[in-house]
Structures are given as structure tokens and as C-alpha cells.
Amino acid sequence: MSLSPEQVEQFKQDGYLVIEDHLSTQDCDVLRERAFQIIKEADMSQHPMTTFSTVDKDKGAQTRTDYFVTSGDKIRFFFEEGALGENGKLTMPPIEAVNKIGHALHIFEPEFKKVTFSDKIKGIARSLGVVKPSVPQSMVIFKQPKIGGRVNPHQDSSFLHTTPMNLVGFWIALEDAEPDNACMWFAPGTHKSGISGRLLRTEEDGKLGTKFEGTSPSTDENKFVCAPVRKGSLVLIHGEVVHKSPPNLSERSRNIYTFHLYDGTSEWSKDNWQQPTEEVPFPFLYEKTE
Ligand code: FE2
């Protein structure tokens, strides 16, 4: 139920750690099936067709920005850029077009809640010395066959910043993730020199937005190590380690479930795009006394 001292040491040294067989194949399938069912049940008729990585310039941009910035306490859908036609409409069924679902699966979806608040996860948080583990967000990332987009080198603490920084990503492979279907790549040790930039929430004339200040990490390409993992593996990702994944050009998907955790004894930045709401404050895995 906890990490060995060697595993903790490895995590501290590399900035990530692979833990095999965290979930059973069956557990993974339950999460995948539920994720697909959520998409099937969703009413997409009013969806602003928000993709995940575009810089919006047209008149629908503000609607799409709002859709993203206010998604922290909801279950919302973000599409692959490659799934939209020139008219901005989907060229394929939503189930094949979704890049990710976020960001409150761990609040509203029992199967995801169970996996997030499990004794195993609590044990890992304790092993890492987290006093008051708080879970701000969760996502299913689909990395669809053929159109699953590239994720450029980044540090998660650029997007979910705390003082002091102590964010940890929990990333669970719901399918095998290998080089051909775009497994993750890490630059070991890069978590030791701070972050290179930050995504900040903005509000001008009552309009919400985001802006990136600083730069993306300029990590040497040959510092990255491929991290293939089997279905059910959990990967711990230090908030400051530089990581990336290539586009998925293969015929098979690479579905994963991920959530982030930080120590609630630290300060959640008011500048983060995501803010806890009165209705949905960030839940804790445990309080110190437990
Ligand atoms: Fe990331």
C-alpha cells in the first residue's frame, strides 16, 4: 500500500516513477467503458467545439475559452484539432474525436472517484510525505488512433502552480502505452531546476482568459527517455519534470486516466486557470490525523 524507500528515491532522482500492475485489466476496462458511455450520453448540440491546443482567433473564441476556464468543477469535452473540419464542425462521431474529458471526474463519477481515493493512492501519498493531499482535477485522455495530437515538452506545475511547488501527477495507463501508440517521454532530473513559464488566468472586462508567461522548457531532445508501460501501470509525475508525448499515428488508441495532487498545506495560486469553487472545493485524500 506504499512505496518502498528505493521507489521514493528513484522518484526523487528522476522526477517520475513507473509502478506496474496498479490497476487490474478489468479495472481499466471499467474506466474506459464509463468514459465512452459519458461521451455517448452527453448532449453535444450546444458544445462550443473546443479543441485542446489551438490559439483561438475567431468570434467563437471567448465561448471556447470560457468553456475551458470554467471546466474545473464540471465534466466537459475537448476535441482533437484533427477532428474538426474547416467549418469548425466535427468530421467524425464525438467518441472518435474527443481528446480528453475533464476536470471533475473524481468528484462526479463513482468509478473514477474510487480509483482516485483508493487506499493504494493514499499509501503512495503518505510515502511521498504529503501532509494534506488535495486533488484539484482529473482527466481521461484518449490519444485517439491517427489523430491523437502531440503534447509538447512541458512541466505540469506551469499550469497548476503552488507555493511551495509540490504537485504530483498520477497517470494510469488504461491501455498498453508503447512507442508506436505515443507513450510518454520524460527528461529525467529536469524537475530540479524550477519551471520555465506559467499559464496565468486573466480577467479583462469581465472576460476570462489565459496567457502564458515565460517560455516552454528548452530541454535537449536527446535528454528524453521513452517510458513504455503496460495497461494498469501507474506513473507518478513530479510537477516540475519535463515530459512530452508524440502524436499517435498508429491504428490503436492510448487511453489513460490522470489526476493531480498537491499538498493542501501549500498555497494554490490565485493565478491558476483552475480555481476551487464554493460548490466543489478541492477534496482531500486524507487529513493529517488519519
Ligand atoms: Fe503533463
Side-chain angles (χ1 to χ4, degrees), residues 269-290:
S269 172
K270 295 255 184 300
D271 293 326
N272 286 335
W273 72 265
Q274 187 190 355
Q275 293 298 321
T277 59
E278 228 167 84
E279 305 78 54
V280 186
F282 299 158
F284 299 116
L285 287 190
Y286 54 77
E287 302 271 353
K288 195 180 177 182
T289 50
E290 195 184 313

Side-chain angles (χ1 to χ4, degrees), residues 47-247:
H47 194 285
M49 292 299 130
T50 310
T51 56
F52 184 58
S53 59
T54 45
V55 178
D56 291 314
K57 290 196 177 90
D58 59 87
K59 60 183 164 52
Q62 190 59 47
T63 314
R64 288 197 284 274
T65 302
D66 288 348
Y67 186 82
F68 169 68
V69 177
T70 59
S71 67
D73 60 352
K74 298 176 186 71
I75 291 176
R76 288 188 165 170
F77 308 90
F78 303 91
F79 294 108
E80 290 290 353
E81 285 190 323
L84 296 183
E86 279 183 15
N87 60 2
K89 298 249 160 63
L90 290 181
T91 57
M92 57 189 78
I95 208 157
E96 294 169 25
V98 173
N99 166 291
K100 67 180 179 182
I101 306 177
H103 290 91
L105 292 160
H106 64 299
I107 305 279
F108 297 116
E109 285 291 329
E111 296 297 346
F112 290 95
K113 191 173 184 173
K114 196 166 83 185
V115 166
T116 310
F117 294 85
S118 71
D119 288 342
K120 269 190 184 177
I121 298 290
K122 289 177 187 172
I124 291 169
R126 283 200 181 89
S127 305
L128 296 175
V130 187
V131 175
K132 202 175 168 185
S134 179
V135 184
Q137 59 150 261
S138 55
M139 300 180 269
V140 168
I141 299 174
F142 292 85
K143 208 82 175 184
Q144 302 275 7
K146 297 284 184 195
I147 58 165
R150 173 194 311 278
V151 177
N152 287 326
H154 68 279
Q155 298 164 295
D156 290 351
S157 289
S158 295
F159 302 89
L160 306 172
H161 192 266
T162 65
T163 307
M165 288 193 282
N166 50 40
L167 190 80
V168 182
F170 287 66
W171 187 103
I172 302 172
L174 302 181
E175 299 181 290
D176 291 344
E178 293 169 319
D180 75 289
N181 68 334
C183 67
M184 293 271 268
W185 291 69
F186 293 93
T190 46
H191 60 299
K192 294 176 181 172
S193 39
I195 53 170
S196 61
R198 280 191 62 188
L199 184 78
L200 305 175
R201 177 188 181 99
T202 60
E203 193 167 352
E204 276 175 43
D205 304 327
K207 287 180 182 169
L208 293 173
T210 58
K211 66 171 178 185
F212 198 88
E213 238 172 40
T215 59
S216 299
S218 54
T219 311
D220 195 334
E221 278 300 314
N222 54 37
K223 287 230 168 86
F224 285 91
V225 176
C226 174
V229 294
R230 285 205 312 269
K231 180 173 181 170
S233 299
L234 164 66
V235 186
L236 301 184
I237 305 173
H238 190 289
E240 291 137 79
V241 77
V242 180
H243 56 288
K244 65 175 185 176
S245 69

